[in-house]
Amino acid sequence: MTNANSASNNISPIGARSLRMLSMAAIVGILAACSTQVPLDEPSSPTTRPPVSGSIEVLPPDANEPLPPAIQQAKSRWVPVHWSSVPGLEQDNLADAWNAWIKSCGRPPAPFAQFCSEVRRMSLASTEEQRAWMVSRFQPYRVESLDGNPDGMLTSYFEPMLEGTRLPGNGYSIPLYKSPASLGTRKPWFSRQQIETSPQVQAELQDKVIAWVNDPVDAMVLHIQGSGRVRITEPDGSVRLIRVAYAATNDHPYKSIGRWLLDQGLVRDATWPGIKAWIAANPSRVNELLWSNPRYVFFKEEPLSPLDAEFGPNGAQGVPLTPGRSIAVDRASIPYGTPVWMSSTGPTVQLNRLVMAQDTGSAILGAVRADYFAGWGHEAGDFAGRVKQPLRLWVLWPRGVAKR
């Protein structure tokens, strides 16, 4: 789990992330300019750019040539298919995906490094030229489980945005901590309840506070997502935007608070509306609810320049995530840095698009499993909290490369 990948640090009222909405009702004062538009299901208009024909040789594959053999991964089987079977290929505006691909070229895996100079040059091409180049260079493989099932599940994650202060007071009493010095000497370290109630533990952490926030549920959602943005008020009254990124955990197992509510018979609906209704009706039991998850996340502060603010935190691949074009995957099924075609139709969104496998998470397990990075802010949080729907994936692997 690095930075945003613990965004997939999982919650599972309706699956891996049904609780991502928990912070939205309490977050106040968030700058509208710091929110990102969540990519929805409307197909984008093709991007018109000057042609680059001739600068890169593009030869479409012969539709009659035999398909290569299947490729076996640790948790999945890749079955070769013709491009004609990839859904929505002609509708996706690839320009945004190209930004994510260029980011992957910052730390390209070996099979894809040879294409990075062309990827950068093709950023000036039209959508049609980008599509033709992609088809000529890569072979699509349908991702299946080892028993041949091509169906999986899509969820979504995001960066919460919180209000915070450097000093406690005026209701800002919930700390976001850096890693303590003794973290590596005791495994597991203290539980969430012990961290929040033990004077001994709090004494060790007193000089490790990055910021103070004003709601424990907000803090819990930040821990679940693994990274977030804080609009922080400094002691001199100035305000700036920072990122708090994942640094470490206390090594306790993650427990879903939605599952705790179900197991206690306190709710029948463990989706966000059901959990929110329970919290509103039982404010005195919020700590009991939160302490049912003993896992605790420690953070590191990162500056957030205007350029950095246009992208998400670094994913497990070590490159910044692109809203709507980065996914977290099970690395035993799909390697980092792999371009992936994603198809998902459900009650929240319809997606047929090119994405990049740039992240992972402890709840993102299985052959056909993806967590879709929605961005940051209220709209992204609302979107991410509602996504749990069927999924199919196709990896785009370099032609002639049989295995990693």
Side-chain angles (χ1 to χ4, degrees):
M1 223 164 62
T2 61
N3 297 340
N5 61 8
S6 45
S8 312
N9 222 25
N10 23 333
I11 203 145
S12 135
I14 57 170
R17 294 185 182 283
S18 59
L19 209 39
R20 299 225 158 62
M21 288 289 296
L22 272 175
S23 64
M24 293 302 100
I27 296 176
V28 295
I30 291 176
L31 295 175
C34 296
S35 295
T36 190
Q37 182 72 23
V38 179
L40 298 179
D41 53 322
E42 295 85 356
S44 303
S45 301
T47 301
T48 302
R49 291 197 173 111
V52 296
S53 306
S55 63
I56 297 176
E57 185 180 20
V58 175
L59 297 175
D62 184 351
N64 296 318
E65 68 183 24
L67 291 170
I71 298 177
Q72 193 83 8
Q73 301 291 325
K75 286 189 179 179
S76 64
R77 183 170 179 264
W78 300 354
V79 179
V81 299
H82 291 293
W83 275 102
S84 58
S85 67
V86 176
L89 181 64
E90 298 298 324
Q91 284 71 53
D92 188 26
N93 181 355
L94 298 178
D96 291 339
W98 233 256
N99 290 332
W101 204 329
I102 289 171
K103 289 293 183 184
S104 270
C105 282
R107 298 188 66 178
F112 297 97
Q114 61 183 311
F115 299 102
C116 282
S117 62
E118 293 188 12
V119 168
R120 294 185 180 99
R121 290 166 65 189
M122 290 301 295
S123 66
L124 302 175
S126 66
T127 294
E128 291 75 16
E129 287 176 309
Q130 289 170 339
R131 187 178 297 113
W133 176 85
M134 184 173 68
V135 168
S136 73
R137 296 295 192 265
F138 298 92
Q139 167 64 49
Y141 291 81
R142 184 178 64 248
V143 182
E144 300 180 349
S145 63
L146 295 177
D147 62 3
N149 185 1
D151 297 314
M153 183 175 68
L154 178 70
T155 52
S156 181
Y157 65 116
F158 76 112
E159 269 195 298
M161 295 187 65
L162 293 77
E163 293 285 327
T165 61
R166 291 292 187 190
L167 301 175
N170 297 321
Y172 289 85
S173 59
I174 310 301
L176 305 178
Y177 289 122
K178 294 184 286 187
S179 300
S182 68
L183 187 62
T185 64
R186 171 182 175 141
K187 289 187 179 246
W189 209 64
F190 299 97
S191 69
R192 174 177 295 275
Q193 182 174 358
Q194 290 170 321
I195 290 170
E196 295 181 353
T197 61
S198 167
Q200 171 195 350
V201 180
Q202 291 182 350
E204 181 175 349
L205 290 169
Q206 65 179 349
D207 62 345
K208 298 295 183 180
V209 179
I210 297 173
W212 299 86
V213 297
N214 60 358
D215 191 282
V217 178
D218 285 0
M220 170 65 88
V221 173
L222 180 63
H223 284 215
I224 293 167
Q225 300 299 319
S227 176
R229 302 177 180 208
V230 181
R231 183 177 179 267
I232 192 162
T233 301
E234 302 286 0
D236 63 2
S238 63
V239 177
R240 65 192 185 98
L241 193 65
I242 66 168
R243 172 174 280 141
V244 287
Y246 169 87
T249 75
N250 60 351
D251 287 313
H252 281 260
Y254 174 83
K255 301 291 185 182
S256 163
I257 61 178
R259 171 52 55 190
W260 181 84
L261 288 171
L262 290 171
D263 290 345
Q264 297 291 316
L266 299 174
V267 298
R268 293 184 178 180
D269 174 16
T271 62
W272 162 240
I275 295 170
K276 181 180 177 182
W278 186 89
I279 290 173
N282 299 274
S284 64
R285 300 189 67 184
V286 169
N287 281 340
E288 183 183 358
L289 172 69
L290 300 181
W291 291 342
S292 69
N293 173 28
R295 190 178 185 89
Y296 198 92
V297 174
F298 300 101
F299 300 96
K300 56 186 175 183
E301 179 178 340
E302 296 179 350
L304 204 58
S305 69
L307 179 59
D308 292 335
E310 294 299 315
F311 293 90
N314 283 353
Q317 186 188 349
V319 301
L321 303 177
T322 302
R325 296 294 180 167
S326 297
I327 58 171
V329 296
D330 188 332
R331 194 180 182 186
S333 175
I334 301 174
Y336 298 151
T338 301
V340 178
W341 196 267
M342 178 177 74
S343 180
S344 180
T345 299
T348 299
V349 69
Q350 290 75 47
L351 294 170
N352 289 303
R353 58 173 49 198
L354 177 65
V355 293
M356 300 297 296
Q358 295 175 324
D359 205 1
T360 194
S362 56
I364 310 305
L365 301 173
V368 189
R369 181 74 175 90
D371 213 20
Y372 178 79
F373 180 61
W376 46 88
H378 285 287
E379 188 178 1
D382 176 73
F383 176 89
R386 292 183 286 113
V387 174
K388 185 191 177 188
Q389 58 188 52
L391 174 70
R392 288 196 174 190
L393 298 173
W394 291 259
V395 297
L396 311 185
W397 202 246
R399 293 185 178 277
V401 178
K403 59 182 179 180
R404 30 173 169 155

